[in-house]
């Protein structure tokens, strides 16, 4: 029965995936799967027909879901009556001066709301006023969500669509005085209770522990300190902060035991649990892991009520099929993927770890199996994995399951009913969390804390999954094939880890970092990885109440994920053209969180860089600092690089930019930083025969750069403009575009095209953009 449901689940997965990823690759994999069923497992033609029916059925379910997920708006509407109906998160999110969350229009269509809070008084008012079901008049404009703007980057538009939202409502005005309460139905009432619980924890628990308690009890990780959450993610411990079967088992067990102790019958307690579990599913946020564990428990207790038993493996198979049938888009949720993959691997591998009587050894084997089963998913989404996490889970899983989870719940309940006792418990709990987090912080800097593999190709993912299944099955059967499968898994991981060293393809990425510059150069066979500028944001003084919990920076949010997705383990050179924030503003975060061998700045600019925060970080991490001037050069990986500027001191900071001339991929390139017209004239005087096939337009296309005479001499075939979408400066300027058009130069712009990528093999290459 278990194997039958497992194979049906695989067929259902192929059916849903075929709706979004139809193509020869998926067809090939489905064919291999059917051949495996027929030749290896000996399934009859009739049984194969059943699997084909399942694929068609779930393909139809995904198609029907997509058909229903349509918008009735055109984007030109401006006035709505909005009903706050947060249907998949617990509450509207107030972060600094920003209010956002899912809402429903008067037509019932979901939007993502964005609203800027005007004052601290308004923020305090909203903290008390907002609740699920609140209906308020609003005025604003509909904005199309951004598509994926960088290779392997986050596709916000696709994410929102899968949540049933096609638009962002940028509200200019919301009349909170005219808000009306919604109905008092059960689900919104439970969600509002959840909101109150989260607010209560935030007000009464210390900062160091409040986010963790909120995550453990109500399933919301948004309030955890960003550095702590990053450490848990790097170490493979973040699953401890997501409500799952561990939490559900603890709570149902505690309630069942308490009910029996006070004299209730088993049947009555099962009925109580069948009522409690759906309530808890809503109260804890309704994430995929919560839904999966609660539905499994509900099915188990329901059958038990009628004296029927079903194996846990069959239960998870039935729940998986039901969720995928009614909510096909869940397949693309990372939490859904991890929850089912890990839980299924534990259930199917129970025969392995039960052979070992020692509890510590059992826990280690379970941790090892969980880490392996999650590996393909983690590599596909996050491009790295932690092998140190196998050991840390041995300590952290029992710590969280037997101490921190029950202690958090007891502390909250005690503080509600007995504040004095609760204060003492909260103090002790806070100390325990601080100790755990400091340990995780220290462990995250160890060598095996996180290993970058890059984003594997689909076929390599398929081979990893096949190797893992072979390893688990042969290990369970105690045959010698487990060594063969283990060896195959090791070879695949080593291949993926060294993918850059094996690749003959070179790349140039004009990364879309908004209004700024960042250019990644990857030489073939890993012979050089260079980053020219980091981008960054120009910040202005703000009030404390306006500060957000998590601050955006281009290094952590854009550049480092791109580097990891490409399988890059270090940067050989970080070239900072000049000290402006939109070019070097994220250098500190980049050096802190990614290995950089050398930082290069321009001669004559040392004083401009001296006070920047990345300098002390680079010094502490023993990163080599080098000053470059006109005449410097280097050759690597079949490419040549020449520094043409700076040459002496420049009064204008932009004209002190490093100008780099390169020959790679069969083209000549000129990277100009923010060089303006005076700098261009000096460059033409110094190099009267200078020409370039590809020109990175200076100063984001400002009218102060890219003069007609400069373009006339260079004769570029392609121009690359790095400018932010809808930027306040109006870059690129119309006069620059006219000059480029006059020269018949092909123009690529990050504000319209997303990242601009040139991939080459030897002396031939092609340009393409992330946004077609």
């Amino acid at each position: 029965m278990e194997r039958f449901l497992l194979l049906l689940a695989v067929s259902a997965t192929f059916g849903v995936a075929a709706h979004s990823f139809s193509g020869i690759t998926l067809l090939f994999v489905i064919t291999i799967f059917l051949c495996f069923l027929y030749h290896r497992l000996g399934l009859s033609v009739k049984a194969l027909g059943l699997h084909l029916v399942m694929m068609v059925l779930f393909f139809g379910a995904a198609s029907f879901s997509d058909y229903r997920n349509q918008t009735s708006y055109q984007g030109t509407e401006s006035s709505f009556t909005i009903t706050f109906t947060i249907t998949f998160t617990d509450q509207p999110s107030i972060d600094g001066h920003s209010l956002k969350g899912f809402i429903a229009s008067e037509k019932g269509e979901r939007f993502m709301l964005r609203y800027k809070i005007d004052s601290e008084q308004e923020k305090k008012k909203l903290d008390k006023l907002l609740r699920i079901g609140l209906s308020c008049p609003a005025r604003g404009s509909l904005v199309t969500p951004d598509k994926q703007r960088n290779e392997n980057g986050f596709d916000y538009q696709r994410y929102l669509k899968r949540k049933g939202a096609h638009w962002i409502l940028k509200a200019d005005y919301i009349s909170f005085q005219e808000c009306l309460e919604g109905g008092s139905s059960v689900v919104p009432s439970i969600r509002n209770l959840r909101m109150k619980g989260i607010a209560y924890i935030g007000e009464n628990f210390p900062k160091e522990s409040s986010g963790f308690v909120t995550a453990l009890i109500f399933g919301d990780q948004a309030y955890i300190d960003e550095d702590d959450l990053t450490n848990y993610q790097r170490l493979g411990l973040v699953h401890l902060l997501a409500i799952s079967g561990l939490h559900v088992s603890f709570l149902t067990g505690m309630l069942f035991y308490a009910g029996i102790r006070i004299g209730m019958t088993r049947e009555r307690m099962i009925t109580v649990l069948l009522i409690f579990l759906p309530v808890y599913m809503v109260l804890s946020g309704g994430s995929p892991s919560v839904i999966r564990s609660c539905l499994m428990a509900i099915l188990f207790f329901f059958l038990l009520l009628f004296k029927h038993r079903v194996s846990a493996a069959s239960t998870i198979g039935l729940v998986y099929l039901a969720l995928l049938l009614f909510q096909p888009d869940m397949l693309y949720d990372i939490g859904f993927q991890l929850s089912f993959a890990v839980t299924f691997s534990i259930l199917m591998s129970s025969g392995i770890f039960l052979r070992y009587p020692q509890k510590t050894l059992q826990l280690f084997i379970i941790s090892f199996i969980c880490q392996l089963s999650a590996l393909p998913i983690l590599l596909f989404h996050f491009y790295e994995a932690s092998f140190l996490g196998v050991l840390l889970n041995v300590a952290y899983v029992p710590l969280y399951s037997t101490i921190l989870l029950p202690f958090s719940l007891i502390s909250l309940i005690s503080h509600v009913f007995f504040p004095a006792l609760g204060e003492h418990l909260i103090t002790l709990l806070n100390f325990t969390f601080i100790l755990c987090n400091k340990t995780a912080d220290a462990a995250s800097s160890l060598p095996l804390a996180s290993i970058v593999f890059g984003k594997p190709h689909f076929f390599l993912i398929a081979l990893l999954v096949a190797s893992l299944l072979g390893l688990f099955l042969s290990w369970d059967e105690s045959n010698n094939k487990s060594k063969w499968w283990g060896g195959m898994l090791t070879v695949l991981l080593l291949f993926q880890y060294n993918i850059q060293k094996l690749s003959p393809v070179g790349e140039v990425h004009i990364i879309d970092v908004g209004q700024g510059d960042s250019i990644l150069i990857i030489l073939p066979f890993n012979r050089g990885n260079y980053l020219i500028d980091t981008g960054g944001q120009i910040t202005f003084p703000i009030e404390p109440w306006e500060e957000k919990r998590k601050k955006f920076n281009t290094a952590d949010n854009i550049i480092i994920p791109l580097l990891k997705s490409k399988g890059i383990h270090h940067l050989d050179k970080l070239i900072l053209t000049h000290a402006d924030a939109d070019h070097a503003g994220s250098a500190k975060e980049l050096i802190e969180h990614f290995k950089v061998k050398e930082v290069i700045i321009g001669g004559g600019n040392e004083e401009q860089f001296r006070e920047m925060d990345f300098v002390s970080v680079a010094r502490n991490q023993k990163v080599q600092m080098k000053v470059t001037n006109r005449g410097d050069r280097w050759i690597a990986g079949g490419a040549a690089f020449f520094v043409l500027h700076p040459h002496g001191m420049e009064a204008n900071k932009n004209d002190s930019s490093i100008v780099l001339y390169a020959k790679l991929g069969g083209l000549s390139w000129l990277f100009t930083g923010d060089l303006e017209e005076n700098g261009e004239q000096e460059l033409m005087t110094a190099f009267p025969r200078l020409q370039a096939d590809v020109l990175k337009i200076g100063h984001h296309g400002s009218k102060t750069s890219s003069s007609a005479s400069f373009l006339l001499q260079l004769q570029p075939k392609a121009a690359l403009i790095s400018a932010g979408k809808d930027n306040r400066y109006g870059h690129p300027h119309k006069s620059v575009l006219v000059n480029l058009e006059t020269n018949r130069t092909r123009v690529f712009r990050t504000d319209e095209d997303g990242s601009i990528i040139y991939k080459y093999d030897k002396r031939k290459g092609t340009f393409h953009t992330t946004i077609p």
Side-chain angles (χ1 to χ4, degrees):
M1 181 66 173
E2 289 91 345
R3 190 180 77 167
F4 174 72
L5 286 174
L6 167 63
L7 296 175
L8 286 183
V10 175
S11 295
T13 303
F14 282 137
V16 174
H19 177 262
S20 299
F21 304 104
S22 56
I24 190 66
T25 302
L26 185 60
L27 182 61
F28 176 76
V29 173
I30 291 174
T31 303
I32 293 295
F33 173 67
L34 293 175
C35 290
F36 171 78
L37 296 180
Y38 183 74
H39 292 288
R40 182 69 176 86
L41 299 184
L43 266 64
S44 65
V45 175
K46 185 177 179 180
L48 288 180
L50 176 61
H51 283 275
L52 289 173
V53 169
M54 286 293 291
M55 292 181 192
V56 173
L57 173 64
F58 280 81
F59 178 85
S63 301
F64 181 68
S65 176
D66 189 53
Y67 171 76
R68 293 181 59 195
N69 187 13
Q70 302 295 326
T71 179
S72 59
Y73 293 93
Q74 304 298 318
T76 57
E77 300 85 354
S78 60
S79 182
F80 304 89
T81 299
I82 303 299
T83 302
F84 272 109
T85 311
I86 298 180
T87 54
F88 90 98
T89 55
D90 295 315
Q91 59 190 15
S93 173
I94 297 177
D95 188 9
H97 58 64
S98 173
L99 167 64
K100 63 180 181 179
F102 284 108
I103 57 174
S105 74
E106 54 194 5
K107 296 182 181 180
E109 183 169 333
R110 301 181 80 198
F111 298 143
M112 170 58 74
L113 171 69
R114 295 289 172 84
Y115 173 72
K116 184 177 180 181
I117 302 171
D118 291 330
S119 64
E120 187 175 7
Q121 290 72 26
E122 184 183 25
K123 182 178 181 179
K124 290 179 179 178
K125 179 181 177 181
L126 293 179
D127 278 329
K128 298 178 180 179
L129 174 69
L130 292 180
R131 59 181 54 86
I132 297 162
L134 198 66
S135 177
C136 305
R139 185 173 62 248
S141 56
L142 294 180
V143 178
T144 304
D146 277 337
K147 295 181 180 180
Q148 176 183 327
R149 301 194 65 87
N150 287 287
E151 185 175 352
N152 299 325
F154 182 59
D155 192 329
Y156 191 50
Q157 185 177 110
R158 180 184 296 172
Y159 167 80
L160 288 183
K161 184 180 179 183
R162 286 173 176 166
K163 299 296 183 182
H166 296 262
W167 301 96
I168 296 172
L169 172 61
K170 297 187 74 172
D172 304 316
Y173 170 76
I174 302 176
S175 180
F176 294 108
Q177 296 80 7
E178 301 178 60
C179 292
L180 299 175
E181 293 281 356
S184 56
S185 59
V186 175
V187 173
S189 298
I190 297 172
R191 287 178 172 168
N192 282 322
L193 178 62
R194 179 175 185 265
M195 284 181 62
K196 292 179 181 178
I198 292 174
Y200 186 90
I201 292 172
E203 292 169 2
N204 295 282
F205 281 65
K207 181 181 178 181
E208 294 85 356
S209 59
S210 60
F212 287 89
V213 175
T214 301
L216 291 174
I217 297 177
F218 293 109
D220 193 342
Q221 300 178 12
Y223 301 92
I224 299 176
D225 179 78
E226 189 173 6
D227 291 335
D228 288 335
L229 187 60
T230 299
N231 289 336
Y232 275 70
Q233 289 171 339
R234 282 172 54 84
L235 295 169
L237 300 173
V238 74
H239 66 93
L240 297 172
L241 308 177
I243 294 177
S244 60
L246 185 72
H247 304 70
V248 174
S249 299
F250 168 75
L251 288 174
T252 53
M254 184 180 68
L255 284 177
F256 192 84
Y257 176 77
I260 295 297
R261 292 290 295 175
I262 63 174
M264 296 181 70
T265 63
R266 290 173 58 89
E267 289 75 15
R268 185 165 294 180
M269 275 311 305
I270 290 174
T271 304
V272 170
L273 290 175
L274 288 174
I275 297 171
F276 165 76
L277 284 168
V279 173
Y280 180 68
M281 190 159 55
V282 178
L283 192 63
S284 57
S287 68
S289 60
V290 172
I291 295 172
R292 189 267 312 159
S293 52
C294 285
L295 287 181
M296 285 184 66
I298 289 170
L299 182 59
F300 172 79
F301 285 118
F302 180 79
L303 293 174
L304 191 62
L305 192 63
F306 293 96
K307 310 300 182 182
H308 291 291
R309 287 185 177 273
V310 64
S311 68
S314 297
T315 303
I316 194 174
L318 290 170
V319 169
Y320 181 87
L321 289 170
L323 286 176
L324 215 55
L325 182 64
F326 293 103
Q327 297 188 48
D329 281 339
M330 263 198 174
L331 179 65
Y332 307 107
D333 187 286
I334 301 171
F336 177 90
Q337 297 168 9
L338 287 172
S339 179
F340 276 97
V342 172
T343 305
F344 179 78
S345 67
I346 292 174
L347 293 175
M348 297 305 292
S349 304
S350 58
I352 297 174
F353 54 81
L354 289 177
R355 297 177 198 153
Y356 305 92
Q358 301 91 344
K359 295 297 181 182
T360 304
L361 185 56
Q362 281 187 8
L363 193 58
F364 174 80
I365 294 172
I366 292 172
S367 176
F368 179 70
I369 291 171
C370 290
Q371 293 289 322
L372 283 182
S373 63
L375 188 61
I377 300 169
L378 294 175
L379 294 186
F380 183 81
H381 292 289
F382 304 111
Y383 328 121
E384 59 185 337
S386 173
F387 293 103
L388 184 61
V390 175
L391 297 175
L392 289 174
N393 271 283
V394 174
Y396 272 75
V397 167
L399 176 64
Y400 267 79
S401 60
T402 62
I403 298 177
L404 291 177
L405 172 59
F407 201 2
S408 297
L409 191 59
I410 293 169
S411 298
L412 176 61
I413 295 173
S414 298
H415 195 274
V416 171
F417 294 103
F418 309 102
L421 173 63
E423 286 292 340
H424 293 295
L425 294 177
I426 288 172
T427 300
L428 182 58
L429 178 67
N430 189 59
F431 172 78
T432 309
F433 273 116
I434 290 174
L435 188 61
C436 289
N437 297 340
K438 285 186 176 180
T439 303
D441 183 54
S444 67
S445 61
L446 296 175
L448 292 178
S450 183
I451 301 176
V452 174
F453 287 89
K455 185 172 185 176
H457 189 274
F458 177 81
F459 279 119
L460 198 135
I461 287 286
L463 289 173
L464 282 174
V465 172
S467 300
L468 288 170
L469 288 174
L471 175 63
F472 291 152
L473 291 173
S474 58
W475 191 2
D476 187 42
E477 295 171 1
S478 301
N479 60 46
N480 292 328
K481 289 183 179 179
S482 60
K483 295 180 180 179
W484 189 90
W485 287 111
M488 181 177 175
L489 180 65
T490 303
V491 169
L492 290 172
L493 290 175
L494 286 173
F495 172 80
Q496 180 61 37
Y497 180 81
N498 293 285
I499 193 70
Q500 278 295 332
K501 294 180 180 178
L502 301 172
S503 174
V505 177
E507 303 179 28
V508 179
H509 291 247
I510 311 301
I511 306 172
D512 183 0
V513 290
Q515 185 63 17
D517 268 18
S518 187
I519 302 165
L520 174 65
I521 300 174
I522 305 170
L523 298 182
F525 302 109
N526 199 39
R527 291 173 181 168
N529 300 305
Y530 312 134
L531 187 71
I532 303 174
D533 291 330
T534 65
Q537 291 185 309
I538 300 174
T539 58
F540 302 95
I542 59 174
E543 297 291 330
W545 69 270
E546 296 180 280
E547 292 183 1
K548 295 188 175 183
R549 291 187 295 270
K550 298 179 180 179
K551 296 180 180 179
F552 174 88
N553 71 78
T554 56
D556 288 329
N557 296 92
I558 299 175
I559 298 172
I560 293 177
L562 173 63
L563 295 175
K564 289 181 177 180
S565 77
K566 305 301 292 184
I568 296 173
H569 304 121
H570 67 269
L571 286 173
D572 295 284
K573 299 180 188 294
L574 170 59
I575 303 166
L576 300 175
T577 59
H578 61 299
D580 279 356
D582 58 340
H583 288 253
S586 291
K588 172 179 174 289
E589 291 80 8
L590 181 68
I591 296 170
E592 281 180 334
H593 301 144
F594 200 81
K595 184 178 180 181
V596 177
K597 290 187 175 182
E598 182 182 49
V599 176
I600 297 176
I601 62 174
N605 295 327
E606 294 91 336
E607 289 301 321
Q608 298 175 14
F609 285 101
R610 196 177 302 278
E611 300 302 321
M612 296 190 72
D613 51 10
F614 80 86
V615 175
S616 59
V617 175
R619 188 181 299 116
N620 291 338
Q621 297 195 8
K622 298 181 180 179
V623 178
Q624 183 180 353
M625 299 282 291
K626 179 181 178 181
V627 177
T628 192
N629 288 284
R630 178 180 293 170
D632 290 341
R633 65 181 66 188
W634 74 91
I635 297 174
F641 299 86
F642 306 87
V643 178
L644 306 186
H645 200 71
H647 182 62
M649 292 287 292
E650 294 286 349
N652 185 333
K653 184 190 291 187
N654 289 338
D655 280 335
S656 67
S657 296
I658 293 176
V659 176
L660 190 66
Y661 179 82
K663 289 185 176 182
L664 72 158
L667 299 175
S668 56
W669 303 68
L670 191 66
F671 304 101
T672 59
D674 272 358
L675 194 71
E676 296 189 352
E677 190 168 348
N678 289 338
E680 292 172 353
Q681 292 296 329
E682 196 278 332
L683 205 63
M684 287 189 291
T685 302
F687 303 96
R689 296 183 179 179
L690 178 65
Q691 290 189 334
D693 297 314
V694 184
L695 171 64
K696 201 291 293 183
I697 296 296
H699 204 185
H700 322 290
S702 166
K703 64 181 179 180
T704 61
S705 299
S706 307
S707 61
S709 58
F710 190 56
L711 296 176
L712 184 63
Q713 176 176 320
L714 291 181
Q715 291 295 304
K717 299 173 184 176
L720 314 175
I721 302 176
S722 183
K725 180 184 177 183
D726 301 324
N727 66 84
R728 68 177 72 181
Y729 307 102
H731 294 161
H733 196 270
K734 185 177 180 180
S735 62
V736 174
L737 297 176
V738 169
N739 288 341
L740 291 169
E741 185 178 358
T742 302
N743 282 273
R744 298 181 179 180
T745 303
R746 185 181 180 185
V747 176
F748 296 94
R749 303 167 47 172
T750 58
D751 60 329
E752 295 182 350
D753 303 320
S755 66
I756 306 156
I757 304 166
Y758 179 76
K759 293 189 178 184
Y760 66 92
D761 186 357
K762 297 179 181 178
R763 297 185 57 81
K764 293 183 179 180
T766 55
F767 279 99
H768 71 273
T769 58
T770 305
I771 301 175

